[in-house]
PDB file of all heavy atoms in Angstrom:
ATOM      1  N   HIS A 805     -22.710  23.476 -44.445  1.00  0.00           N
ATOM      2  CA  HIS A 805     -21.850  22.416 -44.972  1.00  0.00           C
ATOM      3  C   HIS A 805     -22.113  22.319 -46.466  1.00  0.00           C
ATOM      4  O   HIS A 805     -22.911  21.497 -46.911  1.00  0.00           O
ATOM      5  CB  HIS A 805     -22.142  21.094 -44.255  1.00  0.00           C
ATOM      6  CG  HIS A 805     -21.912  21.193 -42.778  1.00  0.00           C
ATOM      7  ND1 HIS A 805     -20.673  21.022 -42.209  1.00  0.00           N
ATOM      8  CD2 HIS A 805     -22.738  21.518 -41.768  1.00  0.00           C
ATOM      9  CE1 HIS A 805     -20.767  21.203 -40.895  1.00  0.00           C
ATOM     10  NE2 HIS A 805     -22.006  21.511 -40.608  1.00  0.00           N
ATOM     11  N   PRO A 806     -21.459  23.190 -47.232  1.00  0.00           N
ATOM     12  CA  PRO A 806     -21.789  23.292 -48.651  1.00  0.00           C
ATOM     13  C   PRO A 806     -21.418  22.042 -49.450  1.00  0.00           C
ATOM     14  O   PRO A 806     -20.552  21.270 -49.041  1.00  0.00           O
ATOM     15  CB  PRO A 806     -20.953  24.482 -49.130  1.00  0.00           C
ATOM     16  CG  PRO A 806     -20.264  25.045 -47.961  1.00  0.00           C
ATOM     17  CD  PRO A 806     -20.385  24.100 -46.833  1.00  0.00           C
ATOM     18  N   GLU A 807     -22.099  21.904 -50.573  1.00  0.00           N
ATOM     19  CA  GLU A 807     -21.883  20.739 -51.432  1.00  0.00           C
ATOM     20  C   GLU A 807     -21.209  21.110 -52.752  1.00  0.00           C
ATOM     21  O   GLU A 807     -20.901  20.247 -53.547  1.00  0.00           O
ATOM     22  CB  GLU A 807     -23.235  20.072 -51.749  1.00  0.00           C
ATOM     23  CG  GLU A 807     -23.841  19.311 -50.582  1.00  0.00           C
ATOM     24  CD  GLU A 807     -22.963  18.153 -50.132  1.00  0.00           C
ATOM     25  OE1 GLU A 807     -22.281  17.557 -50.990  1.00  0.00           O
ATOM     26  OE2 GLU A 807     -22.945  17.859 -48.914  1.00  0.00           O
ATOM     27  N   VAL A 808     -21.032  22.405 -52.984  1.00  0.00           N
ATOM     28  CA  VAL A 808     -20.545  22.851 -54.291  1.00  0.00           C
ATOM     29  C   VAL A 808     -19.029  22.627 -54.413  1.00  0.00           C
ATOM     30  O   VAL A 808     -18.287  22.854 -53.466  1.00  0.00           O
ATOM     31  CB  VAL A 808     -20.965  24.329 -54.495  1.00  0.00           C
ATOM     32  CG1 VAL A 808     -20.347  25.246 -53.465  1.00  0.00           C
ATOM     33  CG2 VAL A 808     -20.677  24.816 -55.881  1.00  0.00           C
ATOM     34  N   THR A 809     -18.601  22.112 -55.572  1.00  0.00           N
ATOM     35  CA  THR A 809     -17.177  21.776 -55.728  1.00  0.00           C
ATOM     36  C   THR A 809     -16.476  22.742 -56.690  1.00  0.00           C
ATOM     37  O   THR A 809     -17.124  23.542 -57.368  1.00  0.00           O
ATOM     38  CB  THR A 809     -16.986  20.349 -56.284  1.00  0.00           C
ATOM     39  OG1 THR A 809     -17.444  20.348 -57.646  1.00  0.00           O
ATOM     40  CG2 THR A 809     -17.785  19.326 -55.490  1.00  0.00           C
ATOM     41  N   LEU A 810     -15.169  22.599 -56.763  1.00  0.00           N
ATOM     42  CA  LEU A 810     -14.376  23.475 -57.641  1.00  0.00           C
ATOM     43  C   LEU A 810     -14.806  23.328 -59.104  1.00  0.00           C
ATOM     44  O   LEU A 810     -14.756  24.276 -59.869  1.00  0.00           O
ATOM     45  CB  LEU A 810     -12.882  23.145 -57.460  1.00  0.00           C
ATOM     46  CG  LEU A 810     -11.883  24.102 -58.108  1.00  0.00           C
ATOM     47  CD1 LEU A 810     -12.072  25.530 -57.622  1.00  0.00           C
ATOM     48  CD2 LEU A 810     -10.450  23.658 -57.878  1.00  0.00           C
ATOM     49  N   LYS A 811     -15.228  22.140 -59.464  1.00  0.00           N
ATOM     50  CA  LYS A 811     -15.682  21.906 -60.852  1.00  0.00           C
ATOM     51  C   LYS A 811     -16.885  22.779 -61.209  1.00  0.00           C
ATOM     52  O   LYS A 811     -17.090  23.133 -62.356  1.00  0.00           O
ATOM     53  CB  LYS A 811     -16.088  20.439 -61.030  1.00  0.00           C
ATOM     54  CG  LYS A 811     -14.928  19.512 -61.242  1.00  0.00           C
ATOM     55  CD  LYS A 811     -15.398  18.285 -62.056  1.00  0.00           C
ATOM     56  CE  LYS A 811     -14.306  17.236 -62.105  1.00  0.00           C
ATOM     57  NZ  LYS A 811     -14.241  16.456 -60.838  1.00  0.00           N
ATOM     58  N   ASN A 812     -17.700  23.111 -60.215  1.00  0.00           N
ATOM     59  CA  ASN A 812     -18.901  23.934 -60.462  1.00  0.00           C
ATOM     60  C   ASN A 812     -18.568  25.397 -60.667  1.00  0.00           C
ATOM     61  O   ASN A 812     -19.379  26.170 -61.160  1.00  0.00           O
ATOM     62  CB  ASN A 812     -19.879  23.842 -59.275  1.00  0.00           C
ATOM     63  CG  ASN A 812     -20.320  22.432 -58.980  1.00  0.00           C
ATOM     64  OD1 ASN A 812     -20.172  21.937 -57.867  1.00  0.00           O
ATOM     65  ND2 ASN A 812     -20.838  21.749 -59.986  1.00  0.00           N
ATOM     66  N   LEU A 813     -17.367  25.802 -60.233  1.00  0.00           N
ATOM     67  CA  LEU A 813     -17.015  27.220 -60.284  1.00  0.00           C
ATOM     68  C   LEU A 813     -16.424  27.562 -61.643  1.00  0.00           C
ATOM     69  O   LEU A 813     -15.423  26.987 -62.063  1.00  0.00           O
ATOM     70  CB  LEU A 813     -15.995  27.551 -59.182  1.00  0.00           C
ATOM     71  CG  LEU A 813     -15.695  29.036 -59.067  1.00  0.00           C
ATOM     72  CD1 LEU A 813     -16.406  29.632 -57.859  1.00  0.00           C
ATOM     73  CD2 LEU A 813     -14.207  29.288 -58.944  1.00  0.00           C
ATOM     74  N   VAL A 814     -17.080  28.508 -62.338  1.00  0.00           N
ATOM     75  CA  VAL A 814     -16.594  28.910 -63.656  1.00  0.00           C
ATOM     76  C   VAL A 814     -15.810  30.207 -63.509  1.00  0.00           C
ATOM     77  O   VAL A 814     -16.321  31.182 -62.939  1.00  0.00           O
ATOM     78  CB  VAL A 814     -17.776  29.121 -64.623  1.00  0.00           C
ATOM     79  CG1 VAL A 814     -17.293  29.638 -65.965  1.00  0.00           C
ATOM     80  CG2 VAL A 814     -18.566  27.834 -64.784  1.00  0.00           C
ATOM     81  N   GLY A 815     -14.584  30.200 -63.996  1.00  0.00           N
ATOM     82  CA  GLY A 815     -13.784  31.416 -63.889  1.00  0.00           C
ATOM     83  C   GLY A 815     -12.565  31.286 -64.761  1.00  0.00           C
ATOM     84  O   GLY A 815     -12.316  30.212 -65.321  1.00  0.00           O
ATOM     85  N   PRO A 816     -11.795  32.360 -64.884  1.00  0.00           N
ATOM     86  CA  PRO A 816     -10.579  32.275 -65.682  1.00  0.00           C
ATOM     87  C   PRO A 816      -9.620  31.230 -65.092  1.00  0.00           C
ATOM     88  O   PRO A 816      -9.634  30.980 -63.879  1.00  0.00           O
ATOM     89  CB  PRO A 816      -9.990  33.682 -65.584  1.00  0.00           C
ATOM     90  CG  PRO A 816     -10.714  34.369 -64.490  1.00  0.00           C
ATOM     91  CD  PRO A 816     -11.997  33.656 -64.266  1.00  0.00           C
ATOM     92  N   GLY A 817      -8.805  30.642 -65.980  1.00  0.00           N
ATOM     93  CA  GLY A 817      -7.897  29.574 -65.560  1.00  0.00           C
ATOM     94  C   GLY A 817      -7.024  29.942 -64.373  1.00  0.00           C
ATOM     95  O   GLY A 817      -6.823  29.131 -63.469  1.00  0.00           O
ATOM     96  N   ASP A 818      -6.544  31.194 -64.342  1.00  0.00           N
ATOM     97  CA  ASP A 818      -5.610  31.522 -63.256  1.00  0.00           C
ATOM     98  C   ASP A 818      -6.316  31.580 -61.908  1.00  0.00           C
ATOM     99  O   ASP A 818      -5.744  31.227 -60.882  1.00  0.00           O
ATOM    100  CB  ASP A 818      -4.830  32.811 -63.558  1.00  0.00           C
ATOM    101  CG  ASP A 818      -5.740  34.014 -63.633  1.00  0.00           C
ATOM    102  OD1 ASP A 818      -6.898  33.858 -64.087  1.00  0.00           O
ATOM    103  OD2 ASP A 818      -5.311  35.116 -63.237  1.00  0.00           O
ATOM    104  N   LEU A 819      -7.583  31.965 -61.912  1.00  0.00           N
ATOM    105  CA  LEU A 819      -8.341  31.988 -60.658  1.00  0.00           C
ATOM    106  C   LEU A 819      -8.480  30.556 -60.112  1.00  0.00           C
ATOM    107  O   LEU A 819      -8.224  30.285 -58.939  1.00  0.00           O
ATOM    108  CB  LEU A 819      -9.729  32.604 -60.879  1.00  0.00           C
ATOM    109  CG  LEU A 819     -10.664  32.561 -59.668  1.00  0.00           C
ATOM    110  CD1 LEU A 819     -10.265  33.611 -58.642  1.00  0.00           C
ATOM    111  CD2 LEU A 819     -12.113  32.757 -60.076  1.00  0.00           C
ATOM    112  N   VAL A 820      -8.849  29.657 -61.019  1.00  0.00           N
ATOM    113  CA  VAL A 820      -9.025  28.262 -60.616  1.00  0.00           C
ATOM    114  C   VAL A 820      -7.688  27.685 -60.121  1.00  0.00           C
ATOM    115  O   VAL A 820      -7.637  26.988 -59.101  1.00  0.00           O
ATOM    116  CB  VAL A 820      -9.602  27.439 -61.791  1.00  0.00           C
ATOM    117  CG1 VAL A 820      -9.662  25.960 -61.454  1.00  0.00           C
ATOM    118  CG2 VAL A 820     -10.993  27.956 -62.160  1.00  0.00           C
ATOM    119  N   GLU A 821      -6.601  28.024 -60.826  1.00  0.00           N
ATOM    120  CA  GLU A 821      -5.279  27.541 -60.405  1.00  0.00           C
ATOM    121  C   GLU A 821      -4.919  28.030 -59.010  1.00  0.00           C
ATOM    122  O   GLU A 821      -4.371  27.298 -58.188  1.00  0.00           O
ATOM    123  CB  GLU A 821      -4.187  28.004 -61.396  1.00  0.00           C
ATOM    124  CG  GLU A 821      -4.117  27.178 -62.658  1.00  0.00           C
ATOM    125  CD  GLU A 821      -4.138  25.672 -62.386  1.00  0.00           C
ATOM    126  OE1 GLU A 821      -3.310  25.207 -61.576  1.00  0.00           O
ATOM    127  OE2 GLU A 821      -5.004  24.968 -62.957  1.00  0.00           O
ATOM    128  N   ARG A 822      -5.218  29.285 -58.744  1.00  0.00           N
ATOM    129  CA  ARG A 822      -4.868  29.830 -57.430  1.00  0.00           C
ATOM    130  C   ARG A 822      -5.701  29.186 -56.330  1.00  0.00           C
ATOM    131  O   ARG A 822      -5.213  28.951 -55.225  1.00  0.00           O
ATOM    132  CB  ARG A 822      -5.020  31.355 -57.436  1.00  0.00           C
ATOM    133  CG  ARG A 822      -3.980  31.984 -58.395  1.00  0.00           C
ATOM    134  CD  ARG A 822      -4.135  33.456 -58.504  1.00  0.00           C
ATOM    135  NE  ARG A 822      -3.495  34.126 -57.379  1.00  0.00           N
ATOM    136  CZ  ARG A 822      -3.732  35.390 -57.050  1.00  0.00           C
ATOM    137  NH1 ARG A 822      -4.603  36.098 -57.731  1.00  0.00           N
ATOM    138  NH2 ARG A 822      -3.098  35.941 -56.034  1.00  0.00           N
ATOM    139  N   LEU A 823      -6.947  28.867 -56.637  1.00  0.00           N
ATOM    140  CA  LEU A 823      -7.766  28.178 -55.639  1.00  0.00           C
ATOM    141  C   LEU A 823      -7.240  26.760 -55.395  1.00  0.00           C
ATOM    142  O   LEU A 823      -7.202  26.290 -54.257  1.00  0.00           O
ATOM    143  CB  LEU A 823      -9.232  28.149 -56.073  1.00  0.00           C
ATOM    144  CG  LEU A 823      -9.919  29.512 -56.067  1.00  0.00           C
ATOM    145  CD1 LEU A 823     -11.339  29.419 -56.608  1.00  0.00           C
ATOM    146  CD2 LEU A 823      -9.945  30.099 -54.647  1.00  0.00           C
ATOM    147  N   LYS A 824      -6.768  26.119 -56.474  1.00  0.00           N
ATOM    148  CA  LYS A 824      -6.177  24.783 -56.316  1.00  0.00           C
ATOM    149  C   LYS A 824      -4.953  24.864 -55.417  1.00  0.00           C
ATOM    150  O   LYS A 824      -4.702  23.978 -54.605  1.00  0.00           O
ATOM    151  CB  LYS A 824      -5.775  24.213 -57.682  1.00  0.00           C
ATOM    152  CG  LYS A 824      -6.929  23.666 -58.474  1.00  0.00           C
ATOM    153  CD  LYS A 824      -6.425  22.980 -59.734  1.00  0.00           C
ATOM    154  CE  LYS A 824      -7.582  22.455 -60.562  1.00  0.00           C
ATOM    155  NZ  LYS A 824      -7.183  22.187 -61.946  1.00  0.00           N
ATOM    156  N   GLN A 825      -4.210  25.952 -55.577  1.00  0.00           N
ATOM    157  CA  GLN A 825      -3.016  26.162 -54.755  1.00  0.00           C
ATOM    158  C   GLN A 825      -3.386  26.275 -53.260  1.00  0.00           C
ATOM    159  O   GLN A 825      -2.752  25.664 -52.402  1.00  0.00           O
ATOM    160  CB  GLN A 825      -2.318  27.447 -55.241  1.00  0.00           C
ATOM    161  CG  GLN A 825      -1.105  27.875 -54.442  1.00  0.00           C
ATOM    162  CD  GLN A 825       0.085  26.956 -54.683  1.00  0.00           C
ATOM    163  OE1 GLN A 825       0.138  26.258 -55.693  1.00  0.00           O
ATOM    164  NE2 GLN A 825       1.020  26.944 -53.746  1.00  0.00           N
ATOM    165  N   VAL A 826      -4.429  27.054 -52.978  1.00  0.00           N
ATOM    166  CA  VAL A 826      -4.874  27.212 -51.589  1.00  0.00           C
ATOM    167  C   VAL A 826      -5.272  25.845 -51.014  1.00  0.00           C
ATOM    168  O   VAL A 826      -4.899  25.483 -49.886  1.00  0.00           O
ATOM    169  CB  VAL A 826      -6.080  28.180 -51.495  1.00  0.00           C
ATOM    170  CG1 VAL A 826      -6.591  28.277 -50.069  1.00  0.00           C
ATOM    171  CG2 VAL A 826      -5.698  29.560 -52.016  1.00  0.00           C
ATOM    172  N   ILE A 827      -6.020  25.091 -51.813  1.00  0.00           N
ATOM    173  CA  ILE A 827      -6.491  23.780 -51.356  1.00  0.00           C
ATOM    174  C   ILE A 827      -5.301  22.850 -51.086  1.00  0.00           C
ATOM    175  O   ILE A 827      -5.223  22.192 -50.048  1.00  0.00           O
ATOM    176  CB  ILE A 827      -7.452  23.165 -52.407  1.00  0.00           C
ATOM    177  CG1 ILE A 827      -8.733  24.008 -52.492  1.00  0.00           C
ATOM    178  CG2 ILE A 827      -7.785  21.715 -52.077  1.00  0.00           C
ATOM    179  CD1 ILE A 827      -9.604  23.719 -53.708  1.00  0.00           C
ATOM    180  N   ALA A 828      -4.334  22.859 -52.023  1.00  0.00           N
ATOM    181  CA  ALA A 828      -3.160  21.984 -51.861  1.00  0.00           C
ATOM    182  C   ALA A 828      -2.364  22.377 -50.614  1.00  0.00           C
ATOM    183  O   ALA A 828      -1.955  21.512 -49.828  1.00  0.00           O
ATOM    184  CB  ALA A 828      -2.281  22.059 -53.106  1.00  0.00           C
ATOM    185  N   GLU A 829      -2.160  23.676 -50.396  1.00  0.00           N
ATOM    186  CA  GLU A 829      -1.391  24.109 -49.224  1.00  0.00           C
ATOM    187  C   GLU A 829      -2.096  23.730 -47.929  1.00  0.00           C
ATOM    188  O   GLU A 829      -1.469  23.331 -46.959  1.00  0.00           O
ATOM    189  CB  GLU A 829      -1.142  25.622 -49.268  1.00  0.00           C
ATOM    190  CG  GLU A 829      -0.116  26.002 -50.314  1.00  0.00           C
ATOM    191  CD  GLU A 829       0.283  27.473 -50.246  1.00  0.00           C
ATOM    192  OE1 GLU A 829       0.097  28.108 -49.196  1.00  0.00           O
ATOM    193  OE2 GLU A 829       0.779  27.978 -51.272  1.00  0.00           O
ATOM    194  N   GLN A 830      -3.427  23.876 -47.913  1.00  0.00           N
ATOM    195  CA  GLN A 830      -4.170  23.512 -46.705  1.00  0.00           C
ATOM    196  C   GLN A 830      -4.120  22.009 -46.465  1.00  0.00           C
ATOM    197  O   GLN A 830      -4.013  21.568 -45.326  1.00  0.00           O
ATOM    198  CB  GLN A 830      -5.621  23.994 -46.795  1.00  0.00           C
ATOM    199  CG  GLN A 830      -5.800  25.467 -46.439  1.00  0.00           C
ATOM    200  CD  GLN A 830      -5.536  25.755 -44.960  1.00  0.00           C
ATOM    201  OE1 GLN A 830      -5.790  24.937 -44.091  1.00  0.00           O
ATOM    202  NE2 GLN A 830      -4.995  26.939 -44.686  1.00  0.00           N
ATOM    203  N   ARG A 831      -4.175  21.241 -47.562  1.00  0.00           N
ATOM    204  CA  ARG A 831      -4.125  19.786 -47.395  1.00  0.00           C
ATOM    205  C   ARG A 831      -2.780  19.350 -46.851  1.00  0.00           C
ATOM    206  O   ARG A 831      -2.680  18.375 -46.125  1.00  0.00           O
ATOM    207  CB  ARG A 831      -4.395  19.090 -48.735  1.00  0.00           C
ATOM    208  CG  ARG A 831      -5.868  19.137 -49.089  1.00  0.00           C
ATOM    209  CD  ARG A 831      -6.203  18.203 -50.242  1.00  0.00           C
ATOM    210  NE  ARG A 831      -7.618  18.273 -50.539  1.00  0.00           N
ATOM    211  CZ  ARG A 831      -8.127  18.291 -51.770  1.00  0.00           C
ATOM    212  NH1 ARG A 831      -7.332  18.230 -52.815  1.00  0.00           N
ATOM    213  NH2 ARG A 831      -9.429  18.361 -51.937  1.00  0.00           N
ATOM    214  N   GLN A 832      -1.727  20.081 -47.222  1.00  0.00           N
ATOM    215  CA  GLN A 832      -0.385  19.696 -46.763  1.00  0.00           C
ATOM    216  C   GLN A 832       0.121  20.634 -45.685  1.00  0.00           C
ATOM    217  O   GLN A 832       1.331  20.824 -45.527  1.00  0.00           O
ATOM    218  CB  GLN A 832       0.559  19.684 -47.960  1.00  0.00           C
ATOM    219  CG  GLN A 832       0.048  18.772 -49.042  1.00  0.00           C
ATOM    220  CD  GLN A 832       1.183  18.279 -49.915  1.00  0.00           C
ATOM    221  OE1 GLN A 832       2.175  17.765 -49.426  1.00  0.00           O
ATOM    222  NE2 GLN A 832       1.033  18.469 -51.206  1.00  0.00           N
ATOM    223  N   ARG A 833      -0.798  21.230 -44.952  1.00  0.00           N
ATOM    224  CA  ARG A 833      -0.401  22.245 -43.978  1.00  0.00           C
ATOM    225  C   ARG A 833       0.530  21.720 -42.899  1.00  0.00           C
ATOM    226  O   ARG A 833       1.418  22.420 -42.445  1.00  0.00           O
ATOM    227  CB  ARG A 833      -1.641  22.900 -43.356  1.00  0.00           C
ATOM    228  CG  ARG A 833      -2.422  21.983 -42.469  1.00  0.00           C
ATOM    229  CD  ARG A 833      -3.757  22.551 -42.074  1.00  0.00           C
ATOM    230  NE  ARG A 833      -4.416  21.658 -41.142  1.00  0.00           N
ATOM    231  CZ  ARG A 833      -4.939  20.487 -41.497  1.00  0.00           C
ATOM    232  NH1 ARG A 833      -4.889  20.085 -42.747  1.00  0.00           N
ATOM    233  NH2 ARG A 833      -5.509  19.724 -40.597  1.00  0.00           N
ATOM    234  N   LYS A 834       0.377  20.457 -42.530  1.00  0.00           N
ATOM    235  CA  LYS A 834       1.216  19.891 -41.458  1.00  0.00           C
ATOM    236  C   LYS A 834       2.683  19.973 -41.865  1.00  0.00           C
ATOM    237  O   LYS A 834       3.526  20.428 -41.093  1.00  0.00           O
ATOM    238  CB  LYS A 834       0.821  18.430 -41.181  1.00  0.00           C
ATOM    239  CG  LYS A 834      -0.565  18.299 -40.572  1.00  0.00           C
ATOM    240  CD  LYS A 834      -0.507  17.845 -39.115  1.00  0.00           C
ATOM    241  CE  LYS A 834      -1.694  18.323 -38.311  1.00  0.00           C
ATOM    242  NZ  LYS A 834      -2.998  17.810 -38.830  1.00  0.00           N
ATOM    243  N   THR A 835       2.985  19.528 -43.076  1.00  0.00           N
ATOM    244  CA  THR A 835       4.364  19.567 -43.577  1.00  0.00           C
ATOM    245  C   THR A 835       4.873  20.999 -43.616  1.00  0.00           C
ATOM    246  O   THR A 835       5.989  21.290 -43.174  1.00  0.00           O
ATOM    247  CB  THR A 835       4.410  19.000 -45.023  1.00  0.00           C
ATOM    248  OG1 THR A 835       3.700  17.778 -45.025  1.00  0.00           O
ATOM    249  CG2 THR A 835       5.820  18.808 -45.503  1.00  0.00           C
ATOM    250  N   LEU A 836       4.046  21.898 -44.130  1.00  0.00           N
ATOM    251  CA  LEU A 836       4.478  23.296 -44.244  1.00  0.00           C
ATOM    252  C   LEU A 836       4.738  23.887 -42.862  1.00  0.00           C
ATOM    253  O   LEU A 836       5.767  24.521 -42.624  1.00  0.00           O
ATOM    254  CB  LEU A 836       3.428  24.130 -44.986  1.00  0.00           C
ATOM    255  CG  LEU A 836       3.158  23.718 -46.438  1.00  0.00           C
ATOM    256  CD1 LEU A 836       2.069  24.598 -47.063  1.00  0.00           C
ATOM    257  CD2 LEU A 836       4.430  23.819 -47.269  1.00  0.00           C
TER     258      LEU A 836
END
Side-chain angles (χ1 to χ4, degrees):
H805 301 275
E807 287 298 327
V808 62
T809 69
L810 190 57
K811 280 207 189 79
N812 302 124
L813 186 104
V814 176
D818 64 326
L819 174 76
V820 174
E821 281 313 307
R822 294 177 81 196
L823 291 176
K824 282 187 182 162
Q825 176 72 21
V826 177
I827 294 166
E829 287 188 21
Q830 279 292 327
R831 284 192 180 139
Q832 304 205 52
R833 69 191 184 288
K834 293 249 152 61
T835 312
L836 297 179

